[in-house]
Every structure is written in structure tokens, then in C-alpha cells.
Amino acid sequence: MGQAFSFGFSDSLLAEVANVSLTQLHQDVQAILKAYEAIKPVARRLGVEPPVPHLPGFAYCHLAALGAKIVFPEGSEPKPEPLLKSAEEIDQLKEPEDYLAAPLIQQRLKLAEELKARCPQAYSSIGHLYEGPVTTAMLLLGEKFLFLLYDEPDRARRLLDFCVRSALNYAQSILKFQGVSLEPGPKGIPDDFAGLLPPGLFEEFVVPYWEKIYQGLLATDRHLHSELLRKEHLDFLRVAKITCFDPSADQYLTPEILKKHCPCRFNLSILSWHIHDLTEDQLENFYLKLASFQPEVISFHLSSLREETKIRRLLKVARENQ
């Protein structure tokens, strides 16, 4: 059986080929259509299908629905600002009566509707349904959440419960609006900040909340994306019944560690800085080394036209070993 791989085009590349900004991609349907038209020659040169038009990747829909401010710096990725100024405000947290009423959610829904009207094959997604519980708590309260775990654990649990409950209710709301029902099946959680918690806190403050959200999503196959876990965290993937783990840019987990200690299937990635820093020969050898650890998938993206020749070489070796 060969090595599976995943390849795609980054939002920054789409902006580059169309000579538009990332902010325009988030706010202007004409810019989106221009970008997806401009990427077609690149896709043809690489021998891959051109991507289907959709709004750029956006991780903060749930936060925006709760009232958090999302800043769109020109030429950079969106960034959320903490909704809560103090831990005491956790006690007053309430879910919105209408999860789709927030101005940014309405804006993205209208953009998706216009995109679909102008390009019927476009995807209607407005972004990720949720972030994981710990990541959401960190984004709502900031780094104060880490102190809360020690100083006021009951309040920390209330915030995590709110993060799970509101994420599930937001997901239900947007899916219902889109005419999609929540069905049992494989489901994933992105919880990048979970690794900020030491292993001694995982059983109390991480695993139970992962369990609640997977159950609420009717997950039959549990996928987890997290970029800050250490070797000492990996046994909790077994406890949480994770079936596939994506460490992506995790700086602490080498392929060797994952092969020896990860209790489930795992993915590996060739990241943008690998592609920038390594030569074509080095990238080919790197791909073959990663494949020797038998990951579920090896993922890589084209992030700049400067790297097209390197990506062509990577695609060649990936296809030969598929």
C-alpha cells in the first residue's frame, strides 16, 4: 500500500496570483473569483484539479457569533481580540439568542450567498464551525485563562463548559441555516492551545471537554489537530479515543516520537518554511523520510509562486510513492 498525500494552494498564494490582499479575499467576492480564475494555470502546470471557489479559511466564526471582535489587518490573517476583560465576566456569559445575528457572521453569509450566485459550484462554507474548548477559552479570556486553572478551577470549568455548549449550538445553527443536518460520522477538533496545559491538568481540564464536543458532534471517528502537544500528552489521545492525530507544525513532536509513542494514526506535514529553506533534492529526501514513518497522510501546500518548481518535484515523488 502506497503513501497517501494531500496537496493544496494557500490563501496567500491565491492573493499573490490575483494581485489582491488577504483582506480583499475575506471581503470582496470579485477578488475571490479573480483569485480562483488566476490559480487555474498554476493548477494545470502542476497537473492538479483547480480548487473550487470558497471564502478564505477562517477559524473564528464561533467567536464572532459570541460577540468577539475580529481584526482584519491589511495583508495579514484575521486576529480575534479577547471578549472577556476579566475572569469575573465568565459568570455573566450568555449564549446569543441568534447565533447568526452578529454583523461579521451576516457579512460572511452574504458573501457566500453572492459567491454561490455568481459561481454555482462554489462552496457555501463561511469558515470553521468551532475551535477546540481550550483554544476557545484562551481566545475569549487571553493568557489569564492559564492562571485561572490554578486560582479558580471552578470558574475555569464553567468557561470550558460554555465553550463546548456554545460551539455545538453555533454549529447546529449554521448547519440548519445551510440546510444540513448533523449526522454521525468522522469529526475533527482543532485545539492548538491544549498543549499549553501540562499533562497533569489534562485529565481534568481537557479530556472531559473533548469528550463532550465529540459526543455532541456525533463523532464516530475522532480526529484531533493540535500543534503544542508534547510526548507526555500523547497517552491522553488514547484516553480520549482519538483515532487520527494531526500535529501539523508541532515543534515538540518529531516523526520518531510519534511513531514510537502515538497511540493512534497520525498525519505529517511538509511546512511552508521547509519548502522555502530546503533544496529540491532535500525536499524529496525529506518526503521519503516522512513516508518511512507510515503516516496516514503527508500534507503540503504551495504558498508562493517562487516555490512552484519545488512543489512540482514534491508532487512527482508523492505520486511515485502513492
Side-chain angles (χ1 to χ4, degrees), residues 27-33 55 107-120 122-123:
Q27 298 175 351
D28 184 347
V29 168
Q30 184 57 41
I32 296 171
L33 292 171
L55 270 63
Q107 177 190 10
R108 292 184 72 82
L109 287 171
K110 289 174 183 175
L111 285 169
E113 182 181 12
E114 182 184 348
L115 181 61
K116 191 77 173 175
R118 297 180 60 179
C119 180
Y123 293 136

Side-chain angles (χ1 to χ4, degrees), residues 272-291:
S272 59
W273 53 86
H274 295 140
I275 295 168
H276 179 271
D277 293 342
L278 299 180
T279 66
E280 290 181 39
D281 287 344
Q282 288 171 331
L283 281 169
E284 177 169 344
N285 291 333
F286 187 42
Y287 185 95
L288 294 173
K289 179 181 178 181
L290 294 185

Side-chain angles (χ1 to χ4, degrees), residues 26-90:
H26 279 283
Q27 298 175 351
D28 184 347
V29 168
Q30 184 57 41
I32 296 171
L33 292 171
K34 181 181 178 183
Y36 280 91
E37 189 62 32
I39 201 66
K40 288 180 179 178
V42 183
R44 283 195 295 269
R45 291 196 298 267
L46 294 174
V48 300
E49 287 294 316
V52 177
H54 59 276
L55 270 63
F58 184 72
Y60 307 124
C61 289
H62 169 218
L63 291 171
L66 293 174
K69 181 181 179 181
I70 313 297
V71 179
F72 289 82
E74 190 64 33
S76 185
E77 297 290 342
K79 294 178 175 60
E81 294 185 352
L83 178 66
L84 305 175
K85 299 291 190 296
S86 68
E88 289 73 22
E89 293 181 28
I90 294 169

